[in-house]
Amino acid sequence: MAISTIGQNGLTNPLPSLASNTIASASGSALTFQTNGSTTAMTIDTSQNVGIGTTSITRAYTNYNQLNINGISGATIQLLRNGTEKGNIIA
């Protein structure tokens, strides 16, 4: 099954031939997941840094990968082990 993208013009653009379980972005481009057609939900940049709720991933430390979570009212990371809550990080 071919993977395709929907561009801003709504036209389907096929991606190059990839393994059937691969999602890719164009060379040198971030991979962006959107909801409601235009709201950015998650971005993975070309350095494998991940941003949730943001397209602008800021790196606090050189040579470290980064996870940024941007929420309107705050951001939370819930840590679970085998389905049991073990901790939270709340900002």
Side-chain angles (χ1 to χ4, degrees):
M1 175 174 76
I3 299 171
S4 11
T5 59
I6 306 273
Q8 290 181 346
N9 59 8
L11 300 175
T12 302
N13 304 306
L15 292 172
S17 178
L18 300 169
S20 61
N21 60 348
T22 301
I23 297 174
S25 63
S27 179
S29 297
L31 179 62
T32 302
F33 296 85
Q34 295 181 335
T35 57
N36 296 324
S38 63
T39 303
T40 297
M42 181 172 73
T43 302
I44 304 173
D45 72 12
T46 57
S47 297
Q48 291 78 48
N49 297 301
V50 177
I52 299 173
T54 182
T55 57
S56 178
I57 302 168
T58 56
R59 293 181 67 177
Y61 301 100
T62 304
N63 298 323
Y64 286 82
N65 281 1
Q66 182 105 0
L67 169 64
N68 289 23
I69 300 175
N70 181 29
I72 294 170
S73 299
T76 302
I77 298 175
Q78 184 179 42
L79 307 170
L80 300 123
R81 183 186 312 140
N82 198 24
T84 301
E85 182 179 318
K86 297 296 181 178
N88 292 285
I89 300 170
I90 302 170

